[in-house]
Amino acid sequence: MDTRGIKNFYSVLAEALPDRWSEDGVRKVSHLSTPEGLLGKNEWILRADYSMTVGRWFIEGIVDLGRYARNSDNIGHLLKEISTCLRELDPSAPLDEIMATSRQLAMFAWREVEARRTAGRPSIDRALKNAVWFRDEPMQRCYLCGYRFSAHAKDRFLGRSNAPFKPHSLVDFTRPRGVKPRHLGVELDHVIPVAEGGATDVHNLKLACGWCNIVKSSLWSVYDAKAWSAGVIDHPSLGLTSVPQPLWMLRIVATRARCEAPEGCSARLTTNELFVAPRNLKGALTPTNLMVVCRQHDPWAGHRLISPTLLSSR
Ligand SMILES: [Zn+2]
Ligand SMILES: [Zn+2]
């Protein structure tokens, strides 16, 4: 860990933060590079989400994919538009390099165009529900959090029961599944959101619990989080504690998909429900301090379940 680098990093931040709506303040921060160790063990997720986000912004800033999604131009038109733009952006680059890069970008962008052209939300019928359920039946778990569906949830999903779910009297404060009846049901999640052209077919649908499906919505990046945290609660045994931002938790659990207990553990998302806990127990559950654990290696075992009224009263 680059302790001295972190000191310098914070001295620049401290100076610039009050100035964050001025060009001077923002430029100072933009010159910083992230010191080693600052991003923690989830560094790869934080960097990947950043790269995927700006990668998409860059290409959509060259060609408006929304326009291609609505017109009937082909990939040749797209390639021409991209190469013309790249030549303007970098007039000194050799032509073959421009063309090779343009082809790469066009292939990337074209997938998105095709997806958006075929997008729509066809209703999910019983046959499709059955097809996804029976494909994933050995698991019978939410693919995002590992929650094992109840027999009741299965019956409702497959249309064999109409009996409503009862909300839970105690919920995990980091993932309050059970506050609402919908949280407990089985739902079909579009892995690639409909809004991005994800198809409504067996390849793009997976079984998710209602809670995860609501949180994920059409979001995927840790930088999509709408708020720093979901609030602070007065926890009965932990005291004042920040509730983690739901999307951060979901993203990191689903992506890491295994228990990270330091002593080693074979628990995976496909076989166990997984939870988040702080690496540094005194710290809040930020994406840099968030660790995925199984029930057995949970440092917060015994502290998770609280009355939903504590959550809603914040
Ligand atoms: Zn879930
Ligand atoms: Zn474990």
Side-chain angles (χ1 to χ4, degrees):
M1 181 144 141
D2 179 6
T3 309
R4 183 196 298 258
I6 289 176
K7 176 197 149 269
N8 296 335
F9 184 86
Y10 277 93
S11 81
V12 177
L13 277 196
E15 216 176 288
L17 276 187
D19 231 6
R20 76 189 85 162
W21 285 98
S22 81
E23 177 166 349
D24 281 353
V26 176
R27 278 195 190 276
K28 267 180 223 151
V29 178
S30 75
H31 294 134
L32 286 173
S33 57
T34 315
E36 194 221 314
L38 192 89
L39 296 177
K41 302 245 189 227
N42 297 324
E43 178 172 0
W44 56 285
I45 298 177
L46 303 186
R47 289 195 187 280
D49 282 9
Y50 172 79
S51 297
M52 288 194 266
T53 300
V54 296
R56 294 182 58 147
W57 286 343
F58 177 72
I59 195 140
E60 297 208 35
I62 291 182
V63 279
D64 185 344
L65 300 184
R67 172 160 43 87
Y68 276 85
R70 298 284 292 274
N71 68 21
S72 54
D73 286 353
N74 60 31
I75 191 171
H77 296 107
L78 186 73
L79 178 63
K80 187 153 184 278
E81 202 177 331
I82 292 173
S83 61
T84 307
C85 183
L86 286 187
R87 228 174 316 186
E88 281 167 19
L89 287 173
D90 190 2
S92 62
L95 195 60
D96 57 340
E97 218 167 79
I98 293 275
M99 286 319 294
T101 305
S102 301
R103 271 193 294 274
Q104 185 65 55
L105 291 179
M107 273 181 333
F108 181 94
W110 193 249
R111 220 173 6 197
E112 175 86 18
V113 171
E114 282 193 314
R116 289 197 204 177
R117 281 182 180 177
T118 54
R121 194 184 271 278
S123 60
I124 293 171
D125 61 12
R126 173 116 356 261
L128 190 52
K129 277 184 158 183
N130 282 338
V132 179
W133 176 271
F134 289 106
R135 180 196 63 195
D136 293 345
E137 190 175 48
M139 191 161 118
Q140 302 203 359
R141 289 176 186 278
C142 170
Y143 85 103
L144 295 162
C145 72
Y147 170 70
R148 190 167 168 88
F149 302 122
S150 65
H152 177 199
K154 171 183 173 177
D155 285 347
R156 271 187 62 106
F157 181 73
L158 296 178
R160 297 169 183 169
S161 160
N162 272 327
F165 293 107
K166 284 194 201 71
H168 288 178
S169 55
L170 294 174
V171 292
D172 177 350
F173 75 97
T174 68
R175 177 169 48 211
R177 180 195 301 110
V179 173
K180 292 183 182 157
R182 180 183 160 189
H183 294 171
L184 302 166
V186 185
E187 299 190 357
L188 288 177
D189 176 56
H190 287 80
V191 179
I192 308 294
V194 174
E196 288 181 29
T200 301
D201 63 19
V202 277
H203 308 292
N204 191 43
L205 290 171
K206 285 196 176 182
L207 302 174
C209 71
W211 189 86
C212 286
N213 202 20
I214 292 167
V215 171
K216 179 173 173 275
S217 173
S218 60
L219 309 175
W220 57 270
S221 153
V222 289
Y223 304 108
D224 283 338
K226 288 188 186 109
W228 188 87
S229 96
V232 178
I233 55 165
D234 196 1
H235 189 287
S237 52
L238 298 171
L240 290 174
T241 305
S242 293
V243 177
Q245 215 291 332
L247 184 69
W248 288 346
M249 200 198 56
L250 188 73
R251 174 85 179 131
I252 292 175
V253 168
T255 308
R256 195 172 285 270
R258 63 181 174 83
C259 172
E260 295 181 82
E263 56 267 54
C265 177
S266 61
R268 300 284 182 272
L269 206 55
T270 47
T271 54
N272 290 74
E273 183 171 353
L274 297 177
F275 304 86
V276 290
R279 286 175 200 278
N280 165 27
L281 287 171
K282 299 258 187 215
L285 283 167
T286 64
T288 56
N289 189 40
L290 199 153
M291 174 169 79
V292 178
V293 291
C294 70
R295 207 176 284 280
Q296 198 192 334
H297 291 115
D298 180 9
W300 273 353
H303 298 296
R304 288 197 176 270
L305 296 181
I306 64 168
S307 161
T309 55
L310 286 173
L311 283 169
S312 55
S313 67
R314 68 171 185 265

